[in-house]
Amino acid sequence: MSNFFKKVLGKRNSIWGFFFLTIVLFWIKTYIVYQTEFTLGAKGSVQEFLLLINPIPAGLLIFGIALYFRGRLAYWLMMIISFLESTWIFANIVYYREFSDFLSVGIIKGSGDVSNNLSKSLSEIIHPSDFAVYLDVILLILLLVFKVIKIDKRPLKRRYAFTMTVVSLGLIGAEFGMANADRSGLLTRTFDNNYIVKYLGLNEFAAFSAYQSQKESSTRANASSSDMRSVLKFLKKNRASANTEYYGTEKGKNVFVIHLESFQQFLIDYKVDGKTVTPNLNKFFHNKNTLSFDNFYNQVGQGKTSDAEMMLENSLFGLSQGSAMTTYGTQNTFQAAPSILDQNGYTTAAFHGDVPSFWNRDNTYKSWGYDYFFSSSYYKQKAEYNVGYGMKDKIFFDQSAKYLQQLPQPFYAKLITLTNHYPYEIGKEDTDFPETKTGDKTVDSYAQTAHYLDQSFGELISYLKKAGLYKNSMFVLYGDHYGISNNHRPAIAKLLGKSKITSYDLAQFQKVPFMIHADGLKGGVNHTYGGEIDVLPTLLDLLGIKNTTTVQFGNDLLSKNRKQLVAFRNGNFVSPKYTKVGTTVYDTKTGDELKLTKQQKADVSALQNHVTTELSLSDRVIYGDLLRFYEPDGFEKTNKKKYNYKLENGLDQLKKAQKKEPTSAQAKNKGKVTAEYKTDAPELK
């Protein structure tokens, strides 16, 4: 052992000298990134210490691979590893800046969606300073090229390399022991990925993510029908009864689901320079026939929009990593809203102004039972019609109108807007609305694109009234996820008129609008606590469609005996009494941090156990594809093979439907267009 340490403390030109120089540079770089690019929230001496040292154990292990080789090869292997590590850090910086999360194997598997999520806004996301993560690589190469450090060609005894491997593994074990002592169940319970990186490091997170991905893949192969028992037992115990005052009041009506991209609750009634951001949505929100929920939260994870759709249409949570639609949308069995409604006489259609493969929609929608999927190929395309992630909302609604007129009634139509999506790009020709003045370039155009979305919505509603599609319809509006991530705390503080933002404020900032409107509906602002997981049972109860046997983790928001507990994907939660973020618990009404009494600790523990169980069982349903084993009364499994969303098939199907079921607005008008769509979109003038 003494000989080993003599080698370690050898001269600068030894392989050991270069090895430890590489490790030190890697360590310093990673720690600087932790402190400047991520919001890890280290508290206390243990967490600060682990955050400081966690790059070292994994660094010794990974860079130590090069020690098993000799001469130039060992040096160049260290260079290659250093470059790959820098690229991994760089990729996480960029991804974290937009999504406040780290790249997991699940996200990387859906690499097409990662590129779609990032490539259209890379110029906004990447900062020149990000490339500083490669400086250590450049420095090491220069030291070798100019022979400031000479390559040691002497062979290194294998036992020394092996000793380094053993030492590094021992340090990783000690690190995990300290982390688990400070945060019990770190890798076995549902935690925010920030915790894993804070305690263990980026490399350990990558390894854990890979393990989780492999575990998920094997879960399906090992699943059996008996696994459904615990799921059904939990759902039966926690199912809330329907509100008899509302049950079936909207039976037989068309359903419009308007997906408000990246739209947050604070925008309702918000003003910039005295000008109202969303006058049309405000009017809808306060209408006497609108049920508006002001304590409604987005509950998405890494899958963002795809998670929102999963919850909205299946009452299943998104996954702890990756996107369920991307990874499981093709192969899994679902009991989704389109299938349920189709089996109750509805035509179902989804509208989206981007490519059909985005979030694997072209395959997932077949699994969910959509009759039609009108994607980019169904719309006239010109360069000026698109911005950011696809077709501008005004043009999208205008071109969707002709298909809406042709859908046999009653129908369920989901329209996914796009313009109010990061990086919030909009031309001067499309808006004269002022920017906010937070000083944050990313944030300040958010109100402009939200205003454009609001104008688009106003035009759509005006058209539907003229086209005869308004009175006999129920409108469901929801924001899918946050528009401004937690990485913009100073800007959020200015938007909310606060001097400082707490973790409580950020939890409440996850509120998104949820509105249900129909002529004659008894409306008003409802203060119940709920989230996207609760949408499907709420809609089915309003439509009078039985849903007590299908698997749904949410509960009717109008139920008088619902459990008002909102679970977030990272295991945090909000209830009328408590808001829990990490280990800190706040009073939901006041925002004050609580020093819990014995009874309060018991209450919070019970709520946490419910959240953990709920998320775990929902994951088990998706990972194991458990719904293939369970066919509830009154529901038939979806036959994916009968759906084809190619342009020629969709148009042909619409023509046949007009003859078979002449119930569309256009068929009732003797095949003529019922109204012309009017928009002030300059691109169409």
Side-chain angles (χ1 to χ4, degrees):
M1 199 68 170
S2 61
N3 287 334
F4 169 71
F5 285 107
K6 285 181 181 178
K7 290 285 185 182
V8 168
L9 299 172
K11 296 179 181 180
R12 178 188 67 188
N13 290 325
S14 72
I15 184 69
W16 286 115
F18 189 78
F19 173 76
F20 280 106
L21 175 61
T22 304
I23 291 292
V24 169
L25 292 174
F26 166 73
W27 172 33
I28 293 171
K29 169 180 68 180
T30 306
Y31 185 68
I32 291 172
V33 169
Y34 283 169
Q35 295 289 5
T36 59
E37 300 295 342
F38 306 143
T39 307
L40 299 177
K43 295 180 180 179
S45 58
V46 173
Q47 292 184 20
E48 290 286 1
F49 175 72
L50 287 172
L51 184 67
L52 173 66
I53 62 100
N54 78 36
I56 298 174
L60 292 173
L61 178 66
I62 296 169
F63 284 96
I65 294 170
L67 298 178
Y68 287 91
F69 301 86
R70 61 180 294 179
R72 293 181 182 276
L73 180 57
Y75 284 79
W76 285 112
L77 277 175
M78 278 189 258
M79 293 296 91
I80 292 170
I81 293 170
S82 186
F83 176 80
L84 293 175
E85 284 286 347
S86 298
T87 302
W88 173 238
I89 293 171
F90 179 88
N92 274 283
I93 289 172
V94 173
Y95 190 80
Y96 194 94
R97 186 169 290 141
E98 166 60 0
F99 298 108
S100 299
D101 206 346
F102 298 95
L103 278 168
S104 67
V105 170
I107 283 291
I108 294 170
K109 278 183 177 179
S111 57
D113 295 307
V114 174
S115 61
N116 275 331
N117 273 318
L118 294 177
S119 63
K120 297 178 182 179
S121 52
L122 278 177
S123 61
E124 296 285 340
I125 297 175
I126 294 176
H127 298 168
S129 60
D130 297 339
F131 293 96
V133 298
Y134 292 100
L135 287 177
D136 61 324
V137 184
I138 296 171
L139 174 62
L140 291 170
I141 292 173
L142 291 175
L143 290 174
L144 290 175
V145 169
F146 290 99
K147 298 184 179 180
V148 176
I149 292 178
K150 296 178 182 178
I151 291 176
D152 183 3
K153 297 180 180 180
R154 292 173 296 171
L156 185 68
K157 292 182 180 180
R158 286 291 179 94
R159 68 172 180 269
Y160 295 146
F162 181 72
T163 301
M164 180 54 66
T165 300
V166 172
V167 169
S168 63
L169 289 173
L171 290 173
I172 290 172
E175 175 192 27
F176 177 74
M178 289 183 66
N180 204 52
D182 191 65
R183 186 63 166 171
S184 178
L186 178 64
L187 299 181
T188 56
R189 296 167 61 193
T190 304
F191 284 120
D192 189 330
N193 290 331
N194 282 286
Y195 279 83
I196 299 174
V197 174
K198 173 173 64 177
Y199 279 105
L200 302 180
L202 264 177
N203 284 313
E204 287 85 345
F205 168 73
F208 177 70
S209 171
Y211 164 76
Q212 285 287 84
S213 182
Q214 176 58 36
K215 182 181 176 183
E216 291 158 11
S217 298
S218 64
T219 299
R220 188 181 193 277
N222 297 324
S224 67
S225 57
S226 62
D227 294 327
M228 275 299 299
R229 293 172 190 165
S230 56
V231 174
L232 295 174
K233 182 179 179 181
F234 176 85
L235 296 180
K236 184 178 180 180
K237 180 181 178 182
N238 292 283
R239 180 171 279 118
S241 57
N243 186 328
T244 55
E245 183 182 359
Y246 285 95
Y247 186 85
T249 57
E250 309 311 308
K251 189 176 183 65
K253 287 188 176 181
N254 299 321
V255 180
F256 282 94
V257 176
I258 312 297
H259 175 114
L260 304 173
E261 175 61 46
S262 305
F263 196 95
Q264 294 181 240
Q265 176 67 22
F266 84 90
L267 287 169
I268 298 295
D269 296 328
Y270 195 79
K271 292 184 178 181
V272 178
D273 294 348
K275 295 183 178 181
T276 303
V277 178
T278 58
N280 294 299
L281 289 167
N282 294 352
K283 184 178 179 181
F284 220 67
F285 186 87
H286 296 294
N287 189 287
K288 68 177 182 178
N289 296 130
T290 301
L291 278 165
S292 301
F293 296 84
D294 61 356
N295 288 313
F296 184 88
Y297 297 79
N298 88 75
Q299 297 170 281
V300 304
Q302 289 186 331
K304 297 299 184 287
T305 294
S306 67
D307 285 355
E309 289 193 68
M310 179 63 70
M311 286 183 280
L312 181 85
E313 310 218 60
N314 296 272
S315 200
L316 294 172
F317 287 96
L319 304 178
S320 58
Q321 62 166 330
S323 162
M325 281 177 61
T326 300
T327 310
Y328 298 96
T330 304
Q331 66 181 25
N332 274 26
T333 301
F334 294 95
Q335 297 167 5
S339 281
I340 294 171
L341 291 168
D342 179 72
Q343 293 173 36
N344 282 272
Y346 276 75
T347 304
T348 58
F351 297 76
H352 182 51
D354 202 351
V355 294
S357 59
F358 195 67
W359 288 127
N360 194 36
R361 285 188 176 98
D362 52 346
N363 293 308
T364 302
Y365 283 175
K366 293 175 184 177
S367 299
W368 290 359
Y370 268 112
D371 295 320
Y372 301 93
F373 177 26
F374 301 102
S375 58
S376 56
S377 62
Y378 286 82
Y379 299 93
K380 292 179 181 178
Q381 297 290 336
K382 289 185 179 180
E384 61 267 29
Y385 289 179
N386 295 278
V387 66
Y389 283 77
M391 186 168 282
K392 295 179 182 179
D393 295 339
K394 289 183 180 181
I395 299 170
F396 168 64
F397 283 150
D398 173 67
Q399 293 199 38
S400 297
K402 62 183 177 183
Y403 301 122
L404 290 170
Q405 288 195 26
Q406 297 178 63
L407 289 178
Q409 302 181 76
F411 59 71
Y412 173 84
K414 178 174 69 175
L415 295 99
I416 303 174
T417 64
L418 285 168
T419 308
N420 192 48
H421 195 296
Y422 184 86
Y424 314 118
E425 297 173 340
I426 194 163
K428 292 181 180 179
E429 71 279 4
D430 287 314
T431 186
D432 58 359
F433 197 81
E435 290 187 340
T436 54
K437 297 178 178 64
T438 69
D440 188 320
K441 183 181 177 182
T442 298
V443 172
D444 284 337
S445 56
Y446 179 57
Q448 293 182 314
T449 52
H451 183 70
Y452 179 88
L453 168 58
D454 180 80
Q455 290 178 316
S456 307
F457 171 72
E459 292 176 350
L460 175 66
I461 292 300
S462 178
Y463 161 76
L464 294 175
K465 288 179 178 178
K466 295 175 183 176
L469 288 171
Y470 184 84
K471 283 193 173 183
N472 193 41
S473 296
M474 179 170 73
F475 293 85
V476 180
L477 281 66
Y478 82 108
D480 62 337
H481 55 75
Y482 62 78
I484 303 171
S485 76
N486 292 348
N487 290 320
H488 302 278
R489 292 188 182 209
I492 293 172
K494 290 181 180 179
L495 289 174
L496 300 182
K498 296 190 174 189
S499 58
K500 187 175 73 171
I501 289 294
T502 67
S503 294
Y504 165 83
D505 295 320
L506 293 176
Q508 300 306 317
F509 200 58
Q510 301 310 308
K511 289 182 181 180
V512 292
F514 182 57
M515 312 174 219
I516 304 173
H517 174 89
D519 272 10
L521 181 65
K522 183 181 177 182
V525 178
N526 190 306
H527 305 303
T528 191
Y529 283 75
E532 291 158 332
I533 200 74
D534 300 310
V535 172
L536 179 58
T538 305
L539 300 188
L540 293 179
D541 280 352
L542 282 166
L543 294 171
I545 295 175
K546 180 184 176 183
N547 62 102
T548 55
T549 56
T550 47
V551 172
Q552 297 169 17
F553 280 86
N555 276 297
D556 188 343
L557 289 164
L558 299 169
S559 174
K560 293 181 179 180
N561 66 333
R562 64 175 270 106
K563 192 182 188 79
Q564 294 191 59
L565 178 61
V566 184
F568 295 122
R569 184 57 260 190
N570 58 13
N572 294 333
F573 63 80
V574 172
S575 74
K577 196 171 183 179
Y578 303 109
T579 295
K580 183 173 181 290
V581 182
T583 57
T584 307
V585 180
Y586 300 89
D587 183 312
T588 297
K589 291 183 180 178
T590 66
D592 295 332
E593 185 175 337
L594 295 173
K595 293 183 178 179
L596 300 177
T597 65
K598 185 177 180 180
Q599 182 58 53
Q600 287 175 325
K601 285 182 180 178
D603 292 342
V604 170
S605 179
L607 292 173
Q608 183 67 75
N609 287 337
H610 181 95
V611 166
T612 302
T613 302
E614 182 178 38
L615 292 171
S616 175
L617 290 175
S618 178
D619 287 348
R620 195 180 302 176
V621 169
I622 295 176
Y623 292 146
D625 189 16
L626 297 187
L627 296 185
R628 62 188 156 137
F629 302 120
Y630 176 64
E631 191 166 331
D633 294 338
F635 179 83
E636 296 180 6
K637 288 184 180 178
T638 307
N639 181 6
K640 307 170 192 177
K641 294 180 180 179
K642 75 175 187 177
Y643 302 108
N644 189 326
Y645 301 137
K646 291 182 179 179
L647 176 62
E648 58 273 17
N649 294 91
L651 296 179
D652 184 59
Q653 186 179 342
L654 266 180
K655 288 180 180 179
K656 291 179 178 178
Q658 299 297 306
K659 295 179 180 179
K660 185 179 179 181
E661 302 175 80
T663 58
S664 69
Q666 192 165 307
K668 289 182 177 181
N669 195 39
K670 299 180 180 179
K672 297 179 181 179
V673 174
T674 56
E676 294 293 336
Y677 198 97
K678 290 187 178 180
T679 175
D680 65 2
E683 299 85 355
L684 299 178
K685 291 181 179 178

